[in-house]
């Protein structure tokens, strides 16, 4: 006794209505030997109807490319023409709770049905009824070829419904992406407008500040410097230089270029740029010259000019002038 070979299909797939292994023989015409011409001709007419049915389903699917309801409405009236007794045949398609019936439809005892599956889930049923009792055949009054045809039609309905569902989901996804892209473009436009307005306001603030310094503070500082002693005038001159640096955005440019600079290092950079020596900076900040030298080393390292024959004051003056 031969060992039984395991099925190549998973368990859930084996529950689906796969065509019989004898499918290749279902639509063969009877052999002419010992069989009358009338029977061969009748079988030939049946095979032609069945082929027309399969071709017609494809044509209806093309005509109702995105309308499953339109397809099922036409198909349910098309099916009876492909059965052995079309004059007394009616059909019904049940799909996801909605029923489609052919003309002169009535439920009778002579019925043939096939399940409709979408994504391996039963979602409906395709049925054919005879309105009158007919001669017995392979499956009640129905032929085995009609069983295979009905299964094929039900399978095509499931395949078409799956394709339509995927197409609709893709269209909806594309529509959502288009809406999101449009919203993003609008947001970018609004953001660019806001950033342009902010930049304009910054320029207006800088211009107003420079005007106030030039018209109000510097004249007062000049008047005050005329009444100070030579030693005190150094501080007045430093104050004037710092005010000019503020209006020329030296400190902000240096801070943006070298984010690691501390406020103390920025202040020392400002003094070095204005030509002050280490001793003078130490006196003003009330620290030792060694502390200022240590700050200068850290500044050179952050400016990436350590061990280079570059004057720190010259570097600050030239580089910051280029960036303004």
């Amino acid at each position: 006794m031969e060992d039984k070979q395991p099925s190549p299909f998973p368990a859930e797939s084996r529950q689906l209505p796969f065509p019989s292994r004898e499918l290749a023989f279902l639509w063969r015409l009877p052999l002419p030997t010992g069989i009358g011409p009338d029977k061969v001709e009748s079988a030939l007419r049946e095979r032609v109807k069945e082929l027309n049915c399969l071709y017609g389903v494809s044509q209806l699917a093309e005509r109702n490319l995105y309308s499953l309801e339109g397809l099922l409405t036409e198909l349910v009236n098309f099916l009876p023409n492909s059965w052995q007794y079309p004059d007394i045949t009616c059909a019904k398609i049940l799909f996801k709770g909605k029923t489609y019936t052919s003309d002169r439809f009535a439920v009778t005892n002579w019925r043939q049905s096939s399940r409709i599956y979408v994504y391996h889930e039963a979602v409906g049923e395709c049925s054919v009824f005879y309105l009158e009792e007919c001669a017995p055949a392979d499956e009640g009054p129905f032929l085995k070829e009609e069983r295979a045809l009905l299964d094929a039609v039900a399978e095509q309905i499931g395949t078409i419904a799956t394709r339509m569902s995927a197409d609709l989901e893709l269209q909806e996804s594309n529509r959502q992406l288009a809406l999101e892209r449009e919203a993003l473009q609008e947001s970018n436009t609004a953001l660019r407008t806001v950033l342009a307005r902010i930049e304009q306001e910054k320029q207006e603030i800088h211009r107003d500040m420079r005007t106030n310094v030039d018209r109000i503070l510097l004249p007062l500082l000049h008047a005050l410097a005329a009444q100070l002693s030579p030693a005190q005038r150094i501080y007045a001159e430093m104050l004037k230089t710092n005010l000019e640096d503020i209006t020329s955005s030296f400190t902000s440019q240096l801070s943006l270029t070298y984010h690691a600079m501390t406020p103390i290092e920025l202040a020392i950079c400002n003094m070095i740029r204005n030509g002050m020596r280490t001793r003078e900076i130490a006196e003003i900040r009330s620290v030792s010259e060694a502390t200022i030298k240590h700050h200068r080393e850290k500044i050179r390292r952050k400016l990436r000019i350590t061990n280079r024959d570059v004057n720190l004051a010259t570097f600050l003056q030239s580089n910051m002038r280029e960036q303004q």
Side-chain angles (χ1 to χ4, degrees), residues 60-72 95 119 157-171:
L60 290 176
E62 288 294 325
R63 191 158 67 188
N64 298 275
L65 199 57
Y66 296 108
S67 174
L68 185 60
E69 183 172 355
L71 168 64
L72 298 181
F95 188 85
Y119 297 120
I157 293 173
T159 301
I160 294 169
T162 301
R163 187 261 303 165
M164 286 185 178
S165 176
D167 287 347
L168 291 175
E169 289 177 4
L170 181 60
Q171 290 177 10

Side-chain angles (χ1 to χ4, degrees), residues 49-289:
K49 286 197 300 183
E50 291 154 3
L51 290 174
N52 283 339
C53 179
L54 295 175
Y55 178 74
V57 173
S58 299
Q59 291 298 302
L60 290 176
E62 288 294 325
R63 191 158 67 188
N64 298 275
L65 199 57
Y66 296 108
S67 174
L68 185 60
E69 183 172 355
L71 168 64
L72 298 181
T73 300
E74 291 191 68
L75 180 58
V76 78
N77 283 297
F78 176 75
L79 280 180
N81 298 315
S82 302
W83 260 248
Q84 191 176 10
Y85 308 107
D87 293 338
I88 58 170
T89 304
C90 60
K92 179 181 76 171
I93 297 176
L94 175 64
F95 188 85
K96 292 187 175 180
K98 189 167 183 178
T99 302
Y100 303 84
T101 57
S102 64
D103 298 335
R104 300 184 301 111
F105 174 76
V107 176
T108 68
N109 294 327
W110 307 288
R111 167 180 176 173
Q112 192 176 40
S113 298
S114 184
R115 291 279 185 88
I116 299 172
Y117 290 85
V118 173
Y119 297 120
H120 300 291
E121 179 183 354
V123 296
E125 188 176 63
C126 185
S127 303
V128 173
F129 298 82
Y130 281 154
L131 299 176
E132 299 175 6
E133 185 175 3
C134 301
D138 301 307
E139 184 182 325
F142 299 100
L143 300 172
K144 59 183 178 180
E145 290 87 356
E146 291 171 336
R147 158 54 58 194
L149 178 62
L150 187 61
D151 289 345
V153 170
E155 184 178 356
Q156 279 192 288
I157 293 173
T159 301
I160 294 169
T162 301
R163 187 261 303 165
M164 286 185 178
S165 176
D167 287 347
L168 291 175
E169 289 177 4
L170 181 60
Q171 290 177 10
E172 179 62 20
S173 297
N174 289 337
R175 190 182 69 83
Q176 290 294 335
L177 286 175
L179 291 175
E180 292 175 5
R181 183 167 57 251
E182 183 179 352
L184 183 59
Q185 290 174 348
E186 293 176 355
S187 298
N188 288 338
T189 302
L191 181 59
R192 284 194 294 269
T193 302
V194 171
L195 291 176
R197 180 58 184 167
I198 291 175
E199 183 62 28
Q200 181 181 357
E201 291 177 353
K202 284 172 59 179
Q203 293 176 1
E204 292 175 355
I205 291 172
H206 182 265
R207 184 168 56 251
D208 293 343
M209 182 175 64
R210 180 161 193 150
T211 299
N212 291 333
V213 169
D214 291 342
R215 293 182 179 179
I216 300 174
L217 295 181
L218 289 181
L220 292 176
L221 190 57
H222 283 304
L224 178 62
Q227 301 178 16
L228 297 175
S229 64
Q232 293 173 327
R233 286 177 186 170
I234 296 176
Y235 297 99
E237 186 65 28
M238 184 181 300
L239 181 58
K240 174 187 174 184
T241 302
N242 286 335
L243 287 173
E244 291 174 347
D245 286 340
I246 291 174
T247 57
S248 66
S249 67
F250 166 76
T251 302
S252 61
Q253 287 286 350
L254 187 64
S255 179
L256 288 173
T257 306
Y258 304 100
H259 299 284
M261 289 284 187
T262 65
I264 294 177
E265 290 167 350
L266 290 173
I268 293 175
C269 283
N270 191 21
M271 295 178 184
I272 294 172
R273 177 174 174 268
N274 286 285
M276 296 185 66
R277 299 181 178 276
T278 301
R279 178 177 56 80
E280 295 172 329
I281 297 173
E283 290 178 356
I284 291 175
R285 300 195 63 84
S286 300
V287 296
S288 66
E289 293 185 31

